[in-house]
Amino acid sequence: MSALLLASASVLVLIGLAFVLLFRRLGSQVDLNRAPENWLEEAPAIKYRPMERLLADADYRFLASCAGVSPALLRRMRAERRRLFRSYLRCLSEDFSRVHTATRLFLLSCDRDRPDLALELLRQRAIFTCGLMLAELHLAVHVMGLGGIPVYRLIRSLNSARQNLTSAALPVAA
Amino acid sequence: MTPIAALTHWLWLLTIVVGAFALIRLYHAGLHRTYRFFFVYLGFQTLRSGVLMLFDPRTNAYAWTWVVTEAVIWVLYVLIVLELYSLVFRDYRGIYSLSQWALYAALAISLILSAVSLAATWNQQPEHYPILANIFLIERGVASSLVLFLLLIVAFLTWFPVPLSRNMVVHCVMFCVYFLSTSGSHLYRSLQGAQVQRAVSDVLLGVSLLCVTGWLTLLNRRGEEVPSGLRYQWKPADEQRLIGQLDALNRALSRSTNGRSSG
């Protein structure tokens, strides 16, 4: 009985805390009119090109074949590259959130119902979340040094499933 | 009269008085037209408390009046929350469908979770009056479903972000406090038995007084203004641009994890 009471009390406290957090966030929401041009500012996807090579094995294979490159140096380099990859990932997430928020605000301002755009927004968010999870998986594989072909084949097939979702784009009404 | 009984009596009386003042204030501020079901609820609840005060709580007349009016209160709770929901999304036609999906999802999730919570704590203590136990169970079910529904809708509002008027925020906060304490108190009662009934009633009376005082002091005409409306004029081309950017960012993320690293 007391365990049930404790569990119930904990759930209620958690719900209460969730309310406090949500209402605090509601109170400190972004000013919807502040610098919308900043939200529309292009998020240049090209700046994320280096991410494509940061976890690649080719560089390590080349370095390993060079004389004087110790395994310790290689380990340090791999760790440093993972750190950089995480920084890029954070930046990419921020850019995505900014553009996604701007699109949600656009949707709010529409004077007619736009289920197509709402679905597109949900789809884009789902694709991005899957991508982030894949990136985390990629990082975990890199940390463990499991750079073998089967692992990357798995990641590649997960990614292509995600790309199928991307290519199934809905037509966005003008 | 024992000190505890005297405290209950005064809390009860104070809730009626504050409720009556809140009704007058809402009417004068013209808010009774905006929050119709809430106004009806407040009027009904205040009247009910006043009428029940005239009866001896140990009589059948008191019990039946309480039972019948309790059912009306549950219906009004649901109507108030749905009214709140429709007021929040009223001015945003662009997300009409999305808000409907959110409504159905939130309703389904809250009903399922509430049913699970009720099933987990079903018939914990033997009751002298089984009807009373059933009524508390239903009330807990209604309150917990509504509190979960509000939680999910507030989460949706925070995510979007839909600007809310101060009155709307006050209204949501008050109802969250009220429903959360109602479901918590009834849960405590169902786990501990009828011996805590008096304490639970007093706590609920205190919470009622707190909420009615909040409605009386915090709801006003100025609070209806939405603080930061969407004054920015979006152009139709912005939509394609934004979706294009989201696509480009998703492609960038996709390229970074496409497994090219195997060579």
Side-chain angles (χ1 to χ4, degrees), chain B residues 1-258:
Chain B
M1 195 183 272
T2 63
I4 295 289
L7 176 75
T8 308
H9 182 79
W10 282 107
L11 273 177
W12 196 344
L13 201 63
L14 210 54
T15 310
I16 295 170
V17 173
V18 177
F21 275 115
L23 278 167
I24 294 167
R25 191 176 156 91
L26 281 174
Y27 187 80
H28 272 281
L31 294 175
H32 65 291
R33 281 190 291 268
T34 312
Y35 305 101
R36 287 169 200 270
F37 287 121
F38 173 63
F39 189 75
V40 171
Y41 160 79
L42 203 57
F44 186 77
Q45 182 71 288
T46 308
L47 186 71
R48 178 201 193 210
S49 296
V51 169
L52 282 174
M53 228 178 172
L54 303 174
F55 293 104
D56 179 351
R58 287 162 298 188
T59 59
N60 278 344
Y62 178 94
W64 283 111
T65 311
W66 184 83
V67 169
V68 172
T69 50
E70 191 68 11
V72 178
I73 294 282
W74 297 335
V75 175
L76 285 171
Y77 282 160
V78 176
L79 291 174
I80 288 167
V81 171
L82 290 177
E83 176 178 71
L84 244 160
Y85 163 86
S86 64
L87 285 172
V88 166
F89 293 106
R90 171 183 61 177
D91 298 326
Y92 302 103
R93 286 189 219 157
I95 56 166
Y96 176 78
S97 292
L98 189 63
S99 62
Q100 293 288 304
W101 302 336
L103 169 77
Y104 298 138
L107 272 178
I109 295 170
S110 55
L111 285 174
I112 290 168
L113 290 180
S114 173
V116 168
S117 137
L118 290 185
T121 52
W122 188 275
N123 274 347
Q124 288 295 321
Q125 293 285 338
E127 278 286 344
H128 188 63
Y129 299 107
I131 188 171
L132 209 56
N134 291 334
I135 286 172
F136 287 143
L137 194 77
I138 297 171
E139 176 144 14
R140 183 154 66 88
V142 172
S144 58
S145 315
L146 291 176
V147 85
L148 287 168
F149 177 79
L150 277 175
L151 182 74
L152 293 168
I153 291 298
V154 172
F156 178 78
L157 295 175
T158 315
W159 176 69
F160 220 80
V162 177
L164 292 181
S165 66
R166 201 177 63 90
N167 280 351
M168 204 70 84
V169 175
V170 167
H171 218 36
C172 281
V173 170
M174 291 302 157
F175 270 113
C176 291
V177 170
Y178 186 72
F179 289 138
L180 204 58
S181 20
T182 302
S183 49
S185 303
H186 286 311
L187 179 66
Y188 181 68
R189 190 205 174 281
S190 75
L191 294 177
Q192 298 297 93
Q195 72 270 17
V196 296
Q197 175 61 46
R198 191 60 186 258
V200 164
S201 288
D202 285 350
V203 166
L204 284 178
L205 213 50
V207 172
S208 272
L209 179 61
L210 187 82
C211 291
V212 177
T213 309
W215 282 312
L216 169 68
T217 54
L218 300 171
L219 290 182
N220 52 46
R221 201 176 297 167
R222 270 185 56 203
E224 279 302 291
E225 291 164 17
V226 178
S228 48
L230 298 162
R231 289 187 294 269
Y232 179 70
Q233 292 297 308
W234 295 88
K235 293 178 279 297
D238 291 339
E239 179 182 348
Q240 295 295 346
R241 200 168 148 199
L242 289 164
I243 295 295
Q245 282 194 51
L246 288 176
D247 262 334
L249 290 168
N250 260 323
R251 276 198 302 274
L253 182 59
S254 171
R255 277 195 303 269
S256 74
T257 55
N258 69 357

Side-chain angles (χ1 to χ4, degrees), chain A residues 84-141:
Chain A
L84 273 173
F85 188 86
R86 283 192 195 282
S87 301
Y88 271 112
L89 211 52
R90 226 178 359 255
C91 197
L92 185 62
S93 288
E94 281 165 12
D95 271 343
F96 187 87
S97 294
R98 179 171 58 79
V99 181
H100 203 266
T101 305
T103 318
R104 292 200 299 268
L105 293 178
F106 178 91
L107 184 54
L108 274 187
S109 73
C110 290
D111 52 7
R112 65 183 173 88
D113 189 20
R114 291 294 308 276
D116 55 333
L117 185 56
L119 269 178
E120 178 63 20
L121 264 172
L122 295 177
R123 197 182 64 89
Q124 292 282 356
R125 170 55 77 182
I127 293 168
F128 193 76
T129 306
C130 290
L132 279 184
M133 287 194 286
L134 271 175
E136 288 298 332
L137 177 67
H138 210 132
L139 275 168
V141 164

Side-chain angles (χ1 to χ4, degrees), chain A residues 13-25:
Chain A
V13 168
L14 279 177
I15 294 175
L17 280 176
F19 268 119
V20 171
L21 285 176
L22 285 172
F23 280 121
R24 277 187 66 173
R25 270 191 72 183

